[in-house]
Amino acid sequence: MDSKSTVVVTGFGPFRQHLVNSSWEAVKELSKRGLGKTIDLRIMELPVVYQKAKEQVLKIWTTLQPLLTVHVGLASSAKAIIILEQCGKNKGYKEMDACGFHPEGGCCMLDGPEKIESTINMKTLWKNISVEGIDIIFSRDAGRYICDYTYYVSLYYGNGRAAFIHVPPLSKSVTADSLGKALQTIILEMLKQCGEERE
């Protein structure tokens, strides 16, 4: 009998004008749904602060040693679109976080590669899924803010076993429940790819 695989899914807390961050609301809805009997799903809210997010991500990989960590973030410009991010970038972080800081030298890891790709093939994923009422696209640029930063750090510590999903703000047509359901569909499909690797 295989022990349960741990999957960690994170959302972000409030920032700027976003007093409710749709990413965390969606992750809370996902946790009600779960990812099936074989997966031990852990959820965590990350602060929109570079250093604290980095520390928490390191802690996820060192203490929980998950099969996969999925970070969910808010793309405030997106309407009813979910964006699957393929890679994290190391440099170019000029924007201040909620505490008024940005990373030293504008980079995630001083000795890290320019970019790190997820082991999850987002293009394959994108072809294989559809979610009612929400368009899904894939991207190779997560935006050089806390989202991209967190993703890169997680890919670095997790040897590529991380994924990033950008979700739109909540609206009449995009509810936390619908986003939670979409996350469940997407992450279960990601886990199929992880399963193919394990066999």
Side-chain angles (χ1 to χ4, degrees), residues 25-26 29 33 170 175-182:
E25 299 307 310
E29 287 298 328
R33 293 172 174 274
L170 299 179
T175 62
D177 185 57
S178 67
L179 287 178
K181 190 174 169 189

Side-chain angles (χ1 to χ4, degrees), residues 126-170:
W126 170 70
K127 284 179 182 155
N128 286 346
I129 50 175
S130 65
V131 171
E132 210 178 325
I134 301 178
D135 283 330
I136 298 177
I137 60 174
F138 73 95
S139 142
R140 300 189 60 83
D141 184 359
R144 299 301 198 296
Y145 189 46
I146 301 281
C147 291
D148 203 347
Y149 181 85
T150 300
Y151 192 18
Y152 182 92
V153 168
S154 197
L155 289 164
Y156 183 91
Y157 289 133
N159 294 319
R161 290 198 320 280
F164 199 102
I165 302 169
H166 264 124
V167 294
L170 299 179

Side-chain angles (χ1 to χ4, degrees), residues 56-72:
Q56 289 196 13
V57 167
L58 176 57
K59 203 182 272 176
I60 287 169
W61 285 108
T62 51
T63 60
L64 298 170
Q65 298 172 332
L67 171 67
L68 178 70
T69 299
V70 181
H71 304 285
V72 185

Side-chain angles (χ1 to χ4, degrees), residues 37-73:
K37 290 187 173 65
T38 59
I39 298 294
D40 178 15
L41 170 63
R42 308 285 187 92
I43 66 167
M44 194 177 293
E45 185 180 10
L46 298 177
V48 182
V49 179
Y50 290 107
Q51 194 54 40
K52 286 193 175 136
K54 187 181 203 171
E55 286 162 12
Q56 289 196 13
V57 167
L58 176 57
K59 203 182 272 176
I60 287 169
W61 285 108
T62 51
T63 60
L64 298 170
Q65 298 172 332
L67 171 67
L68 178 70
T69 299
V70 181
H71 304 285
V72 185

